[in-house]
Amino acid sequence: MFKIIVTENYDELSEKAFEVMKEVITSKSNPVLGLATGSSPIGLYQNMIKDHQENGTSYKNVVTFNLDEYIGLKRDHSQTYWTFMHENLFNGLDIPEENVHVPVGDSADIQAECEKYEEAMKNFEVDIQLLGIGANGHIGFNEPGTSFDTLTHTVVLKEKTRQDNARFFDPLGEEVPTEAITMGIATIMKAKKILLVANGKNKADAVYAMIKGPVTEDCPASVLQNHPDVTVIVDRGAASKL
């Protein structure tokens, strides 16, 4: 079931997303957050840091699980999602490092890492899972065609996805990794609540297919129609085809 909030701009989107996130964080003594990378959540993360610094909202008892990570990059590489999360969120909070979970993309045994990550999540119930959405309807790195039954697994990145991310690697003179670890769609759907944020007209087709289209693996995000508690926050551009 979707609750849809349409905002005038990105700043308002980020503020509304923060309101939803803070309600979960302050309503439980040990909240578990599923987190995402990308440009869409950055404003939300900035609001979380500001709230922590100005209002003292504590993250000492918060546990986090991130959606995905590139395979083949050392953890401290500037473009890993581990680095992204620390630079854009964790370094500005009082969350203990041992409470932070991001897949290890340079593990010597990637399959074992997938199984270990999925097993770790079994000990927790994710209170809120934050998602973005790709222009092709992907969530996490679950590209079109991914089975709705998947758990944490490895994926070969679509060329379009690699092209979209090339701008981060070109200045380094490096190629975008070809594979990633991602939570599976079934893993994502276990969360009690889902918060999806999207901005820009380039996301309008995907947002429409997610909400109004058939539930199909051709649009992985459409599976969210089967979840009981989904809040979708979009700006005018992303909502333009609804």
Side-chain angles (χ1 to χ4, degrees):
M1 179 177 178
F2 291 109
K3 177 183 179 182
I4 301 168
I5 300 171
V6 180
T7 67
E8 291 299 324
N9 53 51
Y10 179 72
D11 287 344
E12 186 185 349
L13 179 153
S14 299
E15 290 167 6
K16 292 291 185 183
F18 169 67
E19 291 173 9
V20 175
M21 183 68 76
K22 185 171 180 178
E23 183 179 357
V24 173
I25 292 166
T26 56
S27 66
K28 291 199 65 176
S29 57
N30 301 92
V32 181
L33 313 180
L35 299 177
T37 55
S39 57
S40 297
I42 288 177
L44 162 61
Y45 293 159
Q46 290 171 342
N47 280 318
M48 291 167 71
I49 292 171
K50 181 181 179 182
D51 173 61
H52 167 67
Q53 294 175 342
E54 295 183 358
N55 302 317
T57 301
S58 178
Y59 288 76
K60 287 183 177 178
N61 295 322
V62 171
V63 173
T64 69
F65 286 90
N66 258 77
L67 279 169
D68 42 30
E69 180 61 282
Y70 288 119
I71 290 174
L73 299 182
K74 292 196 174 298
R75 176 149 267 202
D76 60 357
H77 188 285
S78 65
Q79 294 305 315
T80 61
Y81 292 156
W82 185 91
T83 297
F84 176 97
M85 291 304 304
H86 282 78
E87 290 182 345
N88 288 285
L89 183 63
F90 299 145
N91 291 347
L93 304 176
D94 61 343
I95 186 168
E97 187 63 34
E98 60 267 24
N99 288 10
V100 169
H101 300 84
V102 181
V104 180
D106 63 342
S107 171
D109 189 335
I110 292 295
Q111 182 55 41
E113 173 64 18
C114 292
E115 294 170 4
K116 177 182 174 183
Y117 202 71
E118 187 72 31
E119 192 63 31
M121 292 191 68
K122 288 181 181 177
N123 297 320
F124 298 90
E125 186 174 31
V126 175
D127 292 297
I128 184 168
Q129 175 64 59
L130 175 64
L131 297 174
I133 185 171
N136 63 0
H138 75 241
I139 48 176
F141 268 133
N142 295 289
E143 299 278 18
T146 303
S147 169
F148 289 159
D149 296 329
T150 50
L151 302 177
T152 302
H153 63 289
T154 62
V155 293
V156 176
L157 300 178
K158 300 282 190 184
E159 189 56 34
K160 177 66 166 63
T161 300
R162 295 183 71 236
Q163 289 173 2
D164 288 345
N165 292 339
R167 65 188 187 278
F168 302 115
F169 289 86
D170 288 344
L172 305 174
E174 297 180 17
E175 293 287 326
V176 182
T178 58
E179 295 180 283
I181 298 175
T182 186
M183 280 188 205
I185 293 174
T187 312
I188 291 169
M189 291 290 283
K190 292 176 185 175
K192 290 165 65 176
K193 181 180 184 67
I194 288 174
L195 168 62
L196 187 143
V197 293
N199 60 291
K201 284 188 176 180
N202 64 312
K203 299 294 179 71
D205 286 333
V207 169
Y208 177 88
M210 170 180 67
I211 295 171
K212 302 284 191 179
V215 177
T216 170
E217 291 171 359
D218 292 337
C219 176
S222 66
V223 74
L224 299 178
Q225 293 180 35
N226 296 332
H227 194 283
D229 188 355
V230 182
T231 298
V232 175
I233 305 179
V234 288
D235 69 358
R236 291 286 178 193
S240 60
K241 295 197 175 181
L242 290 179

